[in-house]
Amino acid sequence: MTINAQQAAQQPLNTDNDKVARVRDLLAPASNPAQLWVLILDRDSYQSPLVVPIDERPAIPDPAVIDSLLTALGAVAREQLGKGCQAMFVLERLGSFGITAKDHCWAAALQGACDRAAIPCAGTFLLSPGGVSPVAP
């Protein structure tokens, strides 16, 4: 099933199950070996039309690059949605469905960047050929 922008704006993402379903509806199946997706949610957990694909994600996150990304995205998101907007991340990769140490490393780096940029993190999710799953930092 796919979802359009109007439908996405009408269904809040309040739980991990809601977010897993949204990632599946928007992005599955996984086809990119190393991509980071950033979805912006408003303060009430409704998805905005702002979806940012970042191609060629390195195996290990660079904190300075991630901080710059979150600072820029935070400014745009706050301008469009006001205070309280949230960032949700999807780590797309090929390979096994199991969450790896590198996936956890990315989730921790993204959570840290959100904390430093004062943007609530709505979660990090893995999209692989096996499906979608939340990734704990």
Side-chain angles (χ1 to χ4, degrees), residues 19-102:
K19 294 169 189 173
V20 165
R22 180 60 51 84
V23 171
R24 193 177 305 122
D25 289 346
L26 284 177
L27 305 174
S31 61
N32 193 305
Q35 184 144 331
L36 172 66
W37 294 89
V38 185
L39 287 72
I40 303 297
L41 311 180
D42 70 12
R43 72 176 62 211
D44 297 317
S45 298
Y46 288 91
Q47 182 187 342
S48 80
L50 184 60
V51 178
V52 181
I54 301 168
D55 208 9
E56 299 182 19
R57 174 177 53 88
I60 304 297
D62 180 335
V65 171
I66 295 172
D67 282 350
S68 295
L69 168 70
L70 263 291
T71 299
L73 279 175
V76 170
R78 286 184 188 110
E79 182 178 305
Q80 290 185 2
L81 302 172
K83 292 183 179 181
C85 57
Q86 309 166 58
M88 181 175 138
F89 304 97
V90 179
L91 304 171
E92 181 181 2
R93 65 169 171 74
L94 301 179
S96 71
F97 178 63
I99 296 170
T100 67
K102 289 179 183 178

Side-chain angles (χ1 to χ4, degrees), residues 101-115:
K102 289 179 183 178
D103 298 330
H104 286 294
C105 181
W106 266 98
L110 293 165
Q111 177 68 58
C114 281
D115 292 345

